[in-house]
Amino acid sequence: MTHALVLLASASRAEALLEWLDRQLAFVAGLPLVTTADLADRLQADPRTMDLPLRVLPSLADGGDILVASQVLTGGVAAVIAFLDPLDPPGTPPDARLLIRACDLAAVPLALNPASADLALRGLAHGRSAYLLFNPVAGQGDPNADLALIRSILEPQLLVTVLLTQPDSDPAVQTLELVELLQTRPAGEPGNVMIVACGGDGTVSAVAGAVAGTGIPLGVIPRGTANAFAAALGIPTDLVAACDTILAGHTHVVDAARCNDVPMVLLAGLGFEAGMVDRATRELKAMLGPLAYVLAGTRQLVAQQPFQARIEIDGAITELQAVAITVANAAPATSVLAQGFGQVIPDDGLLEVTIASPATRLQGINALASLMASAVVQSATTHPDLLCLRARRLTISTDPPQKLVIDGEILEADPVTFTCQPGALTVFAPLRAP
């Protein structure tokens, strides 16, 4: 409940408060909200405010406003929004004199009407900081127009600091430097800070990998070709909707992973997938968009040769021939080679491993079709040329050594060890259906 926003209203002013909340819904939905039982009933019965998360105190008749004053004095409240009727007799709950005295002693803003409530929210916005890592070369839109649109949505509610990624600099390094700076803040300073990654999957993955394990929430505004991380978590690819998702404040705790010493939030591929990504050049993606991967995949299917793989999981060793091995932490249905189980679960503390070992190209095409079908129906494949595993940690070596792709970046490493990091990322994402 730290730095909560308290909502109070006289009976005659409750509708005015609901109208104000309706206008400010995107912002207040991202704050801890506290109110009394009688007002909570009114808020939960109104379609405009029924989805707001509330912490409910006793009713006004049972001393709810007294508890509010107590919490103001103990430092758990950022601001009090109290729409009071000036014609109510003195002492009528919510008690104006009690609230004014408590807020004055604790230096907590008290707003008594819509205009002062707007000012109070504006003040809170400067207590909520967003550091935006923006990749200007990602996507096919106008980066200046896109950045202006993003700032116009976020800045009324957040204090936004923009950091542009540089062609000759790793965004992960920029993010690590930023994380180090944020973690040196005084312990008593409010922690309403977030890091927002805006770009393609390379940028998002680099930033997410640097944020993993820090406890700092991550916002994602997709501007890339595939936008696989956003798709895996249901984050909208539309800029406006992605910004609204961040302002709504709902978070999803998901896993991260490491491949040797390299952070991984999406997936890694050996063999076919690495070759496909390597063929999908930036120029090809700029011309064809997502179709670039289809064309690259067709070319790689012709060129891909089988290789020997040695896989160690919990001391058990498996040796087999493969043309593709995919290890996934999070992946949308469009990441076909990760769909051995029909879907990749991003918060189960395990990595999904799909191994394709067809003997001919025709069998390879049939295996790909089986994976596509598994993704559609969200159930595990039974194709004989596909082996599916789940593991927290595994090591893979190949002969001959294969190209390795991690979250869209081509690397060389043999052997490679994958380790899941359960619950390492807190990401702003839409609420999921139960």
Side-chain angles (χ1 to χ4, degrees), residues 57-201:
L57 300 177
S59 66
L60 291 174
D62 292 330
D65 55 345
I66 298 174
L67 283 175
V68 167
S70 172
Q71 292 177 4
V72 167
L73 292 171
T74 56
V77 174
V80 177
I81 309 296
F83 284 17
L84 308 181
D85 189 336
L87 300 180
D88 282 345
T92 301
D95 190 331
R97 290 178 298 180
L98 173 69
L99 295 173
I100 291 171
R101 178 68 172 154
C103 290
D104 182 55
L105 288 173
V108 169
L110 172 62
L112 302 176
N113 54 51
S116 58
D118 288 345
L119 290 174
L121 281 195
R122 191 173 301 170
L124 290 182
H126 289 278
R128 299 178 72 208
S129 299
Y131 291 85
L132 174 63
L133 276 294
F134 183 86
N135 184 350
V137 301
Q140 297 172 298
D142 181 343
N144 293 317
D146 287 351
L147 181 57
L149 175 61
I150 292 166
R151 296 187 69 161
S152 71
I153 299 169
L154 296 182
E155 286 188 329
Q157 287 79 32
L158 303 170
L159 183 62
V160 178
T161 301
V162 178
L163 303 173
L164 297 179
T165 63
Q166 303 297 325
D168 55 350
S169 178
D170 185 350
V173 175
Q174 283 183 274
T175 309
L176 287 170
E177 292 173 350
L178 174 60
V179 167
E180 184 178 355
L181 176 64
L182 296 177
Q183 290 180 330
T184 59
R185 288 182 165 190
E189 191 170 324
N192 293 331
V193 63
M194 67 184 72
I195 292 176
V196 179
C198 182
D201 280 319

Side-chain angles (χ1 to χ4, degrees), residues 303-315:
Q304 182 64 49
Q305 297 296 316
F307 56 89
Q308 290 298 122
R310 183 178 186 272
I311 303 172
E312 180 178 353
I313 301 175
D314 298 330

Side-chain angles (χ1 to χ4, degrees), residues 208 212-213 229 233 252-258 264-266 328-330 344-352 391-392 419-427:
F229 187 73
L233 298 185
H252 186 177
V253 177
V254 299
D255 306 329
R258 296 191 75 84
M264 180 182 98
V265 297
L266 276 166
N329 175 66
V344 178
I345 303 172
D347 56 2
D348 62 352
L350 297 170
L351 301 170
E352 277 87 348
R392 175 137 333 159
T419 305
C420 185
Q421 298 173 294
L425 273 175
T426 300
V427 184

Side-chain angles (χ1 to χ4, degrees), residues 287-309:
M287 288 189 296
L288 300 179
L291 289 177
Y293 292 105
V294 176
L295 178 59
T298 302
R299 292 174 175 173
Q300 185 61 27
L301 188 62
V302 174
Q304 182 64 49
Q305 297 296 316
F307 56 89
Q308 290 298 122

